[in-house]
Amino acid sequence: MPAQKNILLLGSGFVAEPCLEYLQRSGNNSVTVACRRIEKAQELASKYQNATAISLDVEDDAALEGAVAAHDVTISLIPYTQHARVMKAAIKAKKHVVTTSYISPAMQELDAAAKEAGIICMNEIGLDPGIDHLYALKIINEVHDQGGKILSFESFCGGLPAPEASNNPLGYKFSWSARGVLLALRNNARYWQDGKLVEIEGKDLMDSARPIYIYPAFALVGYGNRDSSHYRERYNIPHAETCVRGSMRYQGFPEFAKTLVNMGFLDDTPRTSLSTAAAGKLTWNNVTQQLLGHSSNSPDELLKLIEAKIETQDPEVRKRIVHGIKWLGITSPDIEAAKRGTYLDVLCARLEELMMYGEGERDMIILQHKFEVENKDGSHNTRTSVTLMYGEPNGFSAMAKTVGVPCGIATQLILDGKLTATGVVAPMTPDIYQPIMDLLPSEGINAVEETF
């Protein structure tokens, strides 16, 4: 029997368990779950036979270095800002690291040191980034191998409630904090469209949303996700006049979200009146009155002010947004607001009250790549690749599984000596992405391709 492999798993968030469950299957892995609060680590480790829990503060360099050195590979599922610190400890100990995060400049700087140490620092192996790379590069490389060119590349991914669970005005639900989702609405977008570099400021992001047609059953819209302009170089598609990667939501989300943006709810400036030190009860009509700078806290007057912030002129959409505002209760004198210090965080608390997944509700991930291809003989066609997966009621969510399982697969392949490219790497070449992609279908993760 092969020697036991020891894995350090940093973090116990929602993607950690599918990763741990996958790694337990070999029967030859021992996993140490490490969190700052040992109770969190114990909660996860106690579910699995070959898992133990430790308390670890990753900002304690000596403790981190000791823990990393005691294991064959470290999986870092903690905030991305800590990955470079983990990698430095791994380089010192000459041990491998796996993350699901984008390679940051601080991580990329460690590439030469990682190669010199002979270790693999595998990154971008979740869903987005991760699975999106695998299925995009599969088609891109097939087209290139056949002498063709990619003239346009569009990739949109959405983590959404399953249709039957999308039962609120935003058509969205949260598995964890709403803050990250709302802050993403402030991000600028940059991409290539018809040969022109398009730059969209965060305040205008929701205005740029457009329909994304995948299956007739889904009313989806998409908008650019940060800077995807460099993917022409990264994916080696220099002829692509359009190159965009974006996020998907259900129809109606952008208009409603833009109304909240126009009201000023993405403001994260600390406010004394919203702090826990503020005296008295804080009701929602008073929060919205302060935000809009109005003299009255009358729900009817506040609603009129909010209606003026709705940009769309489509009467049906306007009607739905007004209904959504009432549903949120943000003009109500009877609903108490949580004192979270900022308008952003007060809104997050309200969204989390109303929009968390309920028992038995499923989530869904949907990912579409769309390519316009010029073949070797000069003919043209469109190729698509669609990944669609639903969560298990009261089990793993689709998002947790599609992030955690690819991470687990990559870790196991490193331990088995089947991934060997050293340095700070991502699944950008066939020697890395093909072995991972080969194992995904048995986990219920695949892509349906069409050419037309």
Side-chain angles (χ1 to χ4, degrees), residues 26 43 45 66 69-70 75 211 236 238 288 297 311 315 332 380 401:
S26 79
E43 186 180 337
I75 301 170
N236 188 27
T288 302
N297 66 1
E311 292 186 4
S332 171
H380 289 237
K401 192 167 182 180

Side-chain angles (χ1 to χ4, degrees), residues 135 365 387-390 401-402 405 439-447:
Y135 293 130
I365 67 96
T387 298
L388 173 63
M389 188 173 185
Y390 294 96
K401 192 167 182 180
T402 52
V405 169
L439 294 171
L440 288 176
S442 62
E443 303 302 318
I445 302 170
N446 56 28

Side-chain angles (χ1 to χ4, degrees), residues 1 33 41 52 171 207 332 439:
M1 187 175 176
V33 181
T52 55
D207 295 330
S332 171
L439 294 171

Side-chain angles (χ1 to χ4, degrees), residues 40 140 273 318 324 404:
K40 298 287 289 181
I140 290 167
S273 61
R318 291 182 69 87

